[in-house]
Structures are given as structure tokens and as C-alpha cells.
Amino acid sequence: MSPTATGTRPRPTAPGPAGPQPGLRRELDRRRSARRRLVAAGVAGLVVVLVGVLVWLLTASSVLAARTVDVSGQRGLTPDQVREAAAVPLGVPLARQDVDAIARRVTTLPQVASARVERRWPHAVEVVVTEREPLLAIRQPDGFALVDDQGVAYETVARVPDGVLRADADPGAVPLLTALGVVAAALPVELADRVERVRATAADDIVLELRSGTTVRWGDASESDLKAQVVEALRTSKTRAIDVSAPHNPATR
């Protein structure tokens, strides 16, 4: 009797879960894409609204409008004089304020050398002025014309301010006044205090008259720092005239 083969038959495996059908997958992808487009459109719309609100707040609303004008840096001028020249349109939004035009209006004041204008959120316009520094005072029928280091005669006052040199010169001769300003700026305090006046008919013929009666022939404005040092070294109570027009070869008598 031949042996019979024994064993177990393999069981058929159960089918796994079926994946989405191609048509269903396309539908799901379409819906996800639609949702993404809807969200993106909503975000874009919100951004547009926010930008519009911001632009309106900055340029049209009174929420961020100019209400005050702050002034600093002035000495002889009053804040109200600066504000009047600035002519800042109050109630206009800060973003629409033309700060360059405001600065130009402020510099029409003769005493102002320069002006800087800035927006100070939420409600202020700040004006910072730099006034001219007087170096010379020229006698005029109604007082003394003050002249700065740029040779600009910008204001007439009743008396010569402290530290300002009295000058005899044409107040309209800007190159000459500029040269005199260079000389005045080069004088040390001790020497400047001894100067009665400075006179000149030309830029190369500047003369200083000291309170002691000594006359200093300065020449032109070149090497003014050296000339001032030479004058201080040569000046004595007996010296009546000093010539430093050639400072490396000065003369006295």
C-alpha cells in the first residue's frame, strides 16, 4: 500500500481594503484645491481690506492728522515766528505733510541758516532750526547789520552783541564779508576782545584797529590762524603798527 501524502491546503487570503477609485480620488483632489483657492482668496481679500484701511488712516483720516507744531533750536527767534513761517496745515494727515516745503518756508526767515522738519506720530510736526551765528556788525542808519560766516547780512539790531566784531564794510559785498568772517573766526578770544573794529575796502586790504590804538594790517584772509598767533606774539604796549599781511615775514613799528 502506497503511502498517502497528507497536509493542509493553504487558505485563500481575504482581499485587503480597496483604495479610492480613480474617479473618487479626482473628486477629492478637486474639492481640496477648491478649498485652498477659497482660503487664498479670503486671505487676499482681507489683506486688501487692511491695506485700504491703513491707507485711509494715513492719508484721509483725521486720526493721524497734524495737531501741533513743535519748534526747537531757535535763539533769537520765538517759536511762534517759526510756526508762522512754517505755515503747517493743521488737520492734514501727517503722511500728506510736505516736510521739504515746510523747511523751505522756514528758511525764508533771514535769521535761519537751515531747517529740518520731521513727522512725529501720531499728531506732531517737529521743526528744528539752526540760526545764523553773527560774526560781524556793520553800522547802518538804523542800527547794526549782523553778518554771518557766509557773508550774509541778515538782521539789523540796535547794538553790537557781545563777541561780535564791529566792521566798516559794504554790507552787500558778500565776498568781502566772507573774508572778514574768516578773519573774525580765527581771532582768539583775548585778541578779539582787544579789537575796536575791522575795516576793509577790498578782500586783500583788511585792517584791524585795536582798542590800544595799534593798527594791524592783515592783508587778505589767508593763513588767518597763523596771522593771529603772530599778532599776539608781536603786540606790546609800545607797538603802534603791526603788518602780518606776509605772516612769515611780519613787521612792526
Side-chain angles (χ1 to χ4, degrees), residues 79-91:
D80 284 342
Q81 287 176 306
V82 176
R83 291 189 185 99
E84 183 178 355
V88 176
L90 298 181

Side-chain angles (χ1 to χ4, degrees), residues 70-79 82 111-114 116 126-133:
D70 300 331
V71 177
S72 63
Q74 81 287 349
R75 297 189 317 276
L77 294 169
T78 66
V82 176
Q111 299 91 334
V112 175
S114 63
R116 186 180 79 253
E126 181 181 45
V127 181
V128 181
V129 299
T130 300
E131 290 193 25
R132 299 183 187 277
E133 293 282 352

Side-chain angles (χ1 to χ4, degrees), residues 45-58:
L46 180 61
V47 170
V48 170
V49 171
L50 291 176
V51 170
V53 170
L54 181 60
V55 170
W56 176 78
L57 284 173
L58 290 175

Side-chain angles (χ1 to χ4, degrees), residues 3 9 21 41 44 46 56 76 89 103-104 109-110 114 124 160 163 177 181 183 189 195 208 215 225 227 247 249 251:
R9 289 185 180 180
Q21 297 301 316
L46 180 61
W56 176 78
R104 286 193 297 270
L109 291 169
S114 63
V160 179
L177 296 181
V183 175
V189 175
V195 176
L208 273 60
T215 299
D225 290 331
K227 291 176 180 180
N249 187 28

Side-chain angles (χ1 to χ4, degrees), residues 12 19 31 97 105 111-112 145 152 154 161 180 192 214 223 231 241 252-253:
R31 292 182 181 183
Q97 296 287 346
R105 291 196 291 270
Q111 299 91 334
V112 175
V152 177
Y154 62 90
L180 292 179
T214 302
E223 298 185 284
V231 170
T252 62
R253 63 177 176 83

